[in-house]
Amino acid sequence: MTDITIIIPLPPVTKKNSPRILRSGHRPIVAPSKAFEEYQNAAGFFIGANKGLKIAERVNVKCIYYMPTRRKVDLGNLISASLDILVYYGVLADDNSKIAAGHDGSRVKYDKSFPRAEITISEITEE
């Protein structure tokens, strides 16, 4: 497998901030924020030809987030959101630790003029 790089040229959004509580009958359902759903829908365009790859081998998913402000942000929540988007569009078969085995090199940076997420998926060969 050759490395796959996906650039999502949008300000990164986490899934866990501002969740919505919806009702299904009498049961409450926790749904992601509207901002995350819009981000996920827009991200699909930039994933492009990588949709449906269903990568199932051990990979490192390196995510570099360029945020529009210097506010503190939770890197783990950003990675979780990116993995959910990759699974949603079928780039990864699943986001469990047997497939998304590492996130080496992931970090948050600042870029006011061009906020984005740069995601690089690389095969892990050692056990």
Side-chain angles (χ1 to χ4, degrees):
M1 176 183 128
T2 60
D3 288 0
I4 296 169
T5 299
I6 298 168
I7 298 173
I8 302 172
L10 305 167
V13 176
T14 66
K15 188 173 185 177
K16 296 182 180 178
N17 290 352
S18 306
R20 297 176 292 161
I21 307 295
L22 305 175
R23 294 254 177 225
S24 176
H26 294 294
R27 293 184 174 180
I29 297 172
V30 178
S33 69
K34 185 173 181 174
F36 174 77
E37 287 183 348
E38 290 171 355
Y39 178 72
Q40 178 174 262
N41 290 337
F45 175 79
F46 303 104
I47 291 172
N50 296 303
K51 290 179 185 175
L53 291 177
K54 297 281 186 188
I55 297 168
E57 62 261 17
R58 290 169 41 90
V59 293
N60 182 68
V61 183
K62 176 175 123 180
C63 303
I64 302 177
Y65 301 98
Y66 294 86
M67 303 302 288
T69 68
R70 295 188 189 273
R71 290 180 50 198
K72 291 181 183 177
V73 64
D74 188 313
L75 176 60
N77 286 348
L78 287 169
I79 291 171
S80 178
S82 294
L83 291 175
D84 288 345
I85 289 169
L86 293 174
V87 171
Y88 181 81
Y89 286 106
V91 178
L92 298 177
D94 198 347
D95 59 356
N96 67 56
S97 63
K98 291 183 187 257
I99 296 173
H103 308 290
D104 298 346
S106 294
R107 59 191 167 279
V108 176
K109 294 184 171 189
Y110 168 72
D111 188 341
K112 181 180 181 178
S113 63
F114 184 39
R116 64 197 179 279
E118 295 180 358
I119 303 167
T120 304
I121 303 169
S122 308
E123 186 176 7
I124 297 176
T125 55
E126 84 281 351
E127 282 296 313

